[in-house]
Amino acid sequence: MSVPRVLSDRYEIGELLGRGGMADVYKARDIRLGRSVAIKMLRADVARDSQLQARFRREAQAVAGLNNPFIVAVYDTGEHVVTNQGHDSSHVPYIVMEYVHGKTLRDLIRSKSLTIDQSVDYTLGVLSALDYSHRSGIVHRDIKPANVMVTEDEHGALGQVKVMDFGIARTISDSAATMTQTQTVMGTAQYLSPEQARGESVDARSDLYSAACLLYEMLAGRPPFIGDSPVSVAYQHVRENPPLPSIYNTELSPALDALLLRALQKDRAHRFQDAASFRRALRAARTGVMPTAAASPADCSPAAVAALAVSGPVAAPALLPLPAAEDATGPVQAVDDGGPSTRAMAKVLAGGALTTDDGGAEQAADVPPADNRRRRAWMITLFLGLVIVLGGGAMVGYNMLNAEPAAVVQVSIPSLDGSPQDEALTQLRNLDLEPHVTDEYSKSVAAGDVIRTQPGSGTMLNPGSAIELFVSKGPSQVTIPKDLAGKTESEVRDDLRALNLTFNNNELVNDGIIPATFVVTTDPAPGETVPVNSGITLRISTGQVLMPSLFDLTKDPDKVEEAVTAELKKVSPHLDVTFEEAENTVVTPGMVTNQSISAETAVAQHTTVVVTLAKAPEPAEPTPTPTPKPTKTAKASPSATPKETPAP
């Protein structure tokens, strides 16, 4: 399947983390919240199988209501439409889950790096998850190493367990929730409870059996039953007893052997009845305390553990013969030989043969008197041995039944001030305490960290006691950050949401500096202190400004251009101006006569306005004076003589 880059315009798909029988798991990034998530997506080739789709959706419904630090959280679900080559489409459901960086218990078991303490700690975490899910009415039905993650920090240190994959989970009230569907056993053979293998209905105790198989494999390095096929393994779960894990790991104590014998009982009524009791017994067994007797006699008693540890038949204790009679011919005291059956046993022990008389009674054939005395001595020794064994067993049983119960070992409350909530809950549950969380405001303790406990640290409590854990919700009042201007809306929302503030509808405002779609300011304004959960209004820039009037900014014509430029920069540093001149006989030269964009008009940043300045008209050219034409004179007659001018 070609994986889309983004699902639902929110989840950016990354690397493939794992592949199962019906789904693939990818690492992804939640674009909206900016966090890493894991997305489990049903494979396209099985997306049309209605049963698998129902199972997939059931997993999301089962885990969505479970909020526990030992269970992988589910954040969201959805469907992605996949178009195939034949142009037909299918709806592929997916689940958005908490991303856990770490390793599965299967990887740790294969690496053979688990210690006894780590195995017990991880099982306690699994039992805590099962205790929570069972109290919520959910049976997992597929507990196995591959379905349990162990978190890992950046330095490679392992942390707490996370139970995942509730794909075949059912509610406890679902009476039809058997493990067989169309004659196929669902689950994993090495970890099936006997009732699952038989196809019977399951309950919380079935999960506890699988958890015991998980603990067995971590301690012994192998599952309790191994076979050539799943059917042979399932048969062993139903019919055979597992070998003691101490056979494969000699460092295990008899207490852990006895605990696993009880947890792996075939009859669910003889196992631990809930995860809490299993958890308490496991903590006690870690310190060498034998678990209490199971419902069936001697199921997990020390004698049963010792008997299973013996390879081959148990040898009978050596019997010391009584002294022989002093005189074979003297009187012999009568002894009660116990009847024909006892006599026959004594004869076999003595090495003689038996014959039968006509009446069917057993008798010894040709037994000399010395042999009779030896036979009687062995019989007496046998009876004395039986009396001693039975009497000793009765005394031990009486002492066990009438022994005073061991004093309750109290636990001390650790100092948890300032610890993260999940870490504090884990520590308290590991001490078999029942923590209850109360949230309250605190100026000095970060949100999500512990403020105090009630009773306080150092107090001694009995296991199972309730303890109040006060967790900080952060301060009751917060200060709006001052550096919000110029950030994107999503960045500002993340910053304010982290301060437990809410949001009103946005307002659009003109701004000459902040680009369009970026935050200009807030209401209340940045720097103000407000109560948590207050509604904040984000004012978002339109990227536009109102054009100012550029007329009559100064009376000095020589400073008009400078004044116009300063006025535009006052409105926005991103507005530009171009000057041009036009002759005007009315306005003083150098003064503004026109602007290309009218005042109070909204314009985008980086707009250029053209300003027209008055210019004096050019002087008119002088009109040329016309030259007079010369007067024509009559031509003189040749005969005429000039007049003489008289002398002055």
Side-chain angles (χ1 to χ4, degrees):
M1 181 184 71
S2 177
V3 180
R5 173 177 165 75
V6 177
L7 294 180
S8 301
D9 296 326
R10 177 172 180 178
Y11 303 108
E12 186 176 4
I13 299 298
E15 62 182 302
L16 177 67
L17 297 177
R19 174 160 289 173
M22 70 171 186
D24 297 333
V25 180
Y26 297 90
K27 182 178 179 181
R29 181 176 179 274
D30 186 340
I31 301 173
R32 185 176 302 170
L33 298 180
R35 65 182 176 186
S36 295
V37 295
I39 293 186
K40 185 174 184 179
M41 185 181 300
L42 192 65
R43 287 173 25 206
D45 56 338
V46 298
R48 288 185 174 84
D49 190 321
S50 59
Q51 289 186 352
L52 289 181
Q53 284 210 6
R55 171 183 171 185
F56 194 83
R57 292 189 176 92
R58 187 166 60 247
E59 174 179 4
Q61 294 169 358
V63 192
L66 300 180
N67 183 15
N68 185 271
F70 296 101
I71 298 176
V72 174
V74 167
Y75 298 140
D76 192 10
T77 61
E79 287 188 348
H80 176 70
V81 179
V82 176
T83 303
N84 301 319
Q85 294 181 354
H87 302 292
D88 57 337
S89 60
S90 59
H91 292 263
V92 178
Y94 62 85
I95 304 172
V96 183
M97 304 177 295
E98 172 188 7
Y99 172 67
V100 180
H101 176 68
K103 299 178 181 178
T104 64
L105 285 183
R106 179 177 61 182
D107 297 331
L108 295 176
I109 292 172
R110 289 177 177 175
S111 67
K112 299 182 180 180
S113 60
L114 288 175
T115 64
I116 294 177
D117 284 339
Q118 285 178 320
S119 301
V120 172
D121 286 338
Y122 295 153
T123 306
L124 289 174
V126 172
L127 291 174
S128 295
L130 292 178
D131 184 29
Y132 182 84
S133 68
H134 293 166
R135 284 190 281 109
S136 301
I138 300 296
V139 181
H140 189 285
R141 305 203 309 165
D142 196 18
I143 293 295
K144 59 183 179 181
N147 284 344
V148 180
M149 291 282 294
V150 180
T151 60
E152 186 178 22
D153 62 18
E154 62 272 12
H155 303 294
L158 298 177
Q160 70 179 36
V161 299
K162 292 275 189 179
V163 178
M164 58 185 180
D165 198 351
F166 281 70
I168 59 175
R170 294 272 188 174
T171 59
I172 294 176
S173 60
D174 189 353
S175 60
T178 66
M179 285 306 296
T180 55
Q181 295 184 2
T182 64
Q183 300 179 348
T184 300
V185 178
M186 296 180 64
T188 305
Q190 282 85 352
Y191 314 97
L192 283 180
S193 64
E195 57 269 19
Q196 284 175 291
R198 289 192 295 263
E200 300 172 356
S201 62
V202 300
D203 58 19
R205 294 168 293 182
S206 305
D207 278 350
L208 301 186
Y209 183 94
S210 300
C213 294
L214 177 68
L215 174 61
Y216 187 106
E217 184 171 0
M218 286 192 288
L219 294 175
R222 50 151 281 172
F225 299 110
I226 297 176
D228 297 332
S229 66
V231 175
S232 66
V233 175
Y235 177 85
Q236 294 178 69
H237 279 290
V238 175
R239 296 293 182 187
E240 299 182 7
N241 290 322
L244 291 178
S246 58
I247 295 175
Y248 309 103
N249 185 353
T250 56
E251 296 180 2
L252 296 180
S253 65
L256 287 172
D257 279 344
L259 177 130
L260 282 169
L261 282 182
R262 177 175 177 183
L264 293 173
Q265 288 292 308
K266 308 301 180 188
D267 186 347
R268 70 181 92 181
H270 298 159
R271 303 175 201 146
F272 297 104
Q273 297 301 293
D274 54 60
S277 60
F278 192 168
R279 199 167 66 240
R280 288 192 294 269
L282 179 55
R283 289 198 187 97
R286 164 191 266 174
T287 62
V289 178
M290 297 292 289
T292 57
S296 60
D299 280 337
C300 63
S301 63
V305 177
L308 281 177
V310 175
S311 57
V314 180
L319 299 178
L320 296 177
L322 292 177
E326 294 181 0
D327 185 1
T329 60
V332 179
Q333 256 184 324
V335 179
D336 182 7
D337 60 2
S341 298
T342 305
R343 289 196 300 273
M345 182 186 302
K347 180 62 181 175
V348 172
L349 289 174
L354 290 178
T355 61
T356 306
D357 60 13
D358 294 338
E362 296 169 343
Q363 60 181 8
D366 301 328
V367 180
D371 291 341
N372 287 336
R373 288 194 296 272
R374 281 197 301 272
R375 181 185 65 191
R376 287 183 179 134
W378 275 103
M379 289 173 56
I380 293 171
T381 302
L382 176 62
F383 278 113
L384 288 176
L386 290 174
V387 169
I388 292 172
V389 171
L390 293 176
M395 183 64 69
V396 171
Y398 177 82
N399 290 336
M400 292 179 63
L401 291 175
N402 293 276
E404 294 183 0
V408 177
V409 179
Q410 292 188 320
V411 295
S412 175
I413 300 176
S415 177
L416 301 174
D417 296 358
S419 301
Q421 177 181 338
D422 290 348
E423 180 180 324
L425 289 173
T426 301
Q427 291 190 48
L428 294 176
R429 289 187 178 117
N430 287 341
L431 293 174
D432 201 15
L433 298 175
E434 297 296 334
H436 301 280
V437 176
T438 299
D439 295 328
E440 65 177 36
Y441 294 109
S442 173
K443 293 181 179 180
S444 57
V445 180
D449 290 349
V450 175
I451 302 173
R452 66 186 185 280
T453 58
Q454 182 63 37
S457 61
T459 304
M460 303 298 292
L461 293 178
N462 292 335
S465 299
I467 179 172
E468 198 74 17
L469 193 68
F470 292 89
V471 178
S472 173
K473 296 196 296 184
S476 59
Q477 289 189 325
V478 294
T479 301
I480 301 175
K482 296 182 179 180
D483 59 345
L484 301 181
K487 289 186 175 182
T488 64
E489 179 183 351
S490 61
E491 290 175 335
V492 173
R493 285 182 178 271
D494 289 342
D495 292 344
L496 298 182
R497 193 179 289 113
L499 298 176
N500 293 325
L501 296 174
T502 59
F503 300 95
N504 302 324
N505 293 331
N506 293 345
E507 288 185 4
L508 296 178
V509 296
N510 294 329
D511 191 88
I513 300 176
I514 307 300
T517 73
F518 285 75
V519 174
V520 177
T521 185
T522 60
D523 183 18
E528 292 189 20
T529 299
V530 296
V532 296
N533 297 320
S534 296
I536 305 298
T537 300
L538 301 185
R539 292 181 172 168
I540 310 297
S541 173
T542 61
Q544 293 185 328
V545 294
L546 295 179
M547 179 63 64
S549 174
L550 303 177
F551 296 94
D552 299 325
L553 297 178
T554 179
K555 300 299 183 181
D556 188 350
D558 295 334
K559 297 182 178 180
V560 168
E561 293 188 11
E562 180 181 345
V564 168
T565 302
E567 183 68 14
L568 291 175
K569 296 303 179 185
K570 185 191 303 182
V571 176
S572 171
H574 305 304
L575 289 178
D576 297 322
V577 60
T578 299
F579 294 98
E580 65 179 18
E581 293 181 333
E583 293 182 357
N584 194 302
T585 59
V586 178
V587 179
T588 303
M591 302 301 289
V592 177
T593 62
N594 188 34
Q595 59 186 67
S596 60
I597 301 173
S598 302
E600 301 302 318
T601 301
V603 296
Q605 299 172 12
H606 303 285
T607 298
T608 299
V609 58
V610 179
V611 176
T612 303
L613 303 179
K615 182 178 72 170
E618 293 291 338
E621 293 182 3
T623 304
T625 303
T627 303
K629 295 181 179 180
T631 304
K632 293 183 179 181
T633 305
K635 191 173 181 182
S637 174
S639 60
T641 56
K643 293 181 178 181
E644 295 181 1
T645 303

